[in-house]
Amino acid sequence: MLTVEQALQKILEAVSVLDAENVPIMETLGQVLAEDIVSTVTVPPLDNSSMDGYAVRSADTRGAAEKTPKTLKVIDTVIAGGISKKEVTPGTAIRIMTGAPIPPGADSVIQFENTDDAKNKDASLNQTPTQVNIFVAASPAQNIRRAGEDIAQGKTILKKGAVLRPAEIGLAASIGRSHLKVVQRPVVAVISTGDELTELGKPLPAGRIYDSNTYSIAALVKRYGCVPKILGIARDNEKDLLKKLKQAQDADMLLTTGGVSMGDYDMVKDIIARDGNMVFWKVKVKPGKPLAFGKINGRDKNGKPRSIPHLGLPGNAASCMVSFELFVRPALLKMMGKINVTKPTVSAIIEDSVKNNDGRRIYNRAVVEKRDGHYYARVSGPQGSGMITSMSQANALVIIPEENGGVKKGDTVQALMLDWNQEVNL
Ligand code: AMP
Ligand code: MG
């Protein structure tokens, strides 16, 4: 049986980065840039004011104080987006709003609060005062944002491979880009298997359960920036399963849940082995031992044959989610062009003793909290592999190594933080 690392390595080896496409900027959140972005403009384009106030010659304000104000003649008002045609000559000032270009002659901006215009701040523009008293001495360059101080024309502002977070989207927008070339989002077909499953919204017959895996798995697919293609429930017979598998043919990855353990009707793994290419079945991990990984035959958008990675996740509600975090997430991130596919992890002091004697690595659902500068982890409730409540109460998966028989209260363990994001572009 493979270790977690061996299984993950086999999965990562079998998937590759998807093609790039040109996409409207607002659709690219979380995607990976497939081009270098070079600025065609200068940001800001001109020297401009970072305050609402008066553009002045700093020399004119020398010695100004509350009791000895300097009086300047107001010759114009310039608003953001406008350009003053006047020049600030000795003894004059131009009223200026944040973002407006600095008029020629001025080398400094005095904010309204340091003038007797403070009370007029909201006055309409046609009531511009004819003179202003300045209460402080201005230093040269004060409250001026320099042209190009943020982005110089010709500069590479984002490199191929950058992950597009809100800041990168804003950065690209600040140079006017409406579309970006990004690695495609993987389309992930999701199939639940089981004769016992009932669709949401239908009454629950005796002995049946609702299909929750479709939704937890599709939500995970979405969370990591991919596109779920929900294909519904396949019953535990070959005909139904093959019919659903056919509908997954144009996806970039196929995820099934259930049908991979030792029961009489667990036929997912048998069908992968027969019709596709089974890479492995079973991993030394708890929960999630019965994980199957293989490739099924599919076709791309142009009808060209290709093989699709297929992870047969265990049916139990918590197991399939843990398996997704450990094995599916890294594969999807790789397909999206991401380099860092490891889950954010912290060292935490465990507050429960947990035995581990069967040679499998345990990933316990846990609550990790920071107290007095240390992370502490406690198990989030009963760990039965079908119990989704303790998954919902957890914010981490705590690793109980397969060696040493387990961990004792007070030991330091590694915790995978379920909701953390560590994507940074350096
Ligand atoms: P299996 O591996 O197919 O035997 O499934 C293992 C367990 O997971 C069984 O108790 C199933 O009832 C449960 N299970 C399988 N599929 C789902 C599903 N889609 N939603 C909720 N529970 C499921
Ligand atoms: Mg089943």
Side-chain angles (χ1 to χ4, degrees), residues 193-196 236 257-261 265-266 315:
T193 69
D195 285 340
E196 74 279 35
D236 289 322
T257 67
V260 285
S261 31
Y265 294 92
D266 289 330

Side-chain angles (χ1 to χ4, degrees), residues 206-263:
R208 298 283 196 103
I209 58 170
Y210 283 118
D211 166 22
S212 65
N213 292 351
T214 286
Y215 302 93
S216 56
I217 295 302
L220 282 165
V221 167
K222 263 189 148 171
R223 152 169 288 192
Y224 294 118
C226 307
V227 183
K229 180 175 178 179
I230 293 178
L231 296 178
I233 300 165
R235 298 302 170 192
D236 289 322
N237 61 72
E238 190 174 326
K239 196 168 149 236
D240 208 33
L241 191 54
L242 289 178
K243 198 172 108 197
K244 290 278 182 212
L245 291 181
K246 215 162 183 190
Q247 293 169 23
Q249 274 203 343
D250 59 351
D252 298 303
M253 180 186 273
L254 166 63
L255 298 176
T256 55
T257 67
V260 285
S261 31
M262 298 290 275

Side-chain angles (χ1 to χ4, degrees), residues 2-12 280 282-283 291 293 327:
L2 299 181
T3 64
V4 171
E5 285 77 17
Q6 289 166 337
L8 181 57
Q9 196 190 340
K10 285 196 185 296
I11 295 168
L12 289 177
F280 67 74
K282 288 189 179 174
V283 182
L291 176 75
F293 175 58
F327 301 106

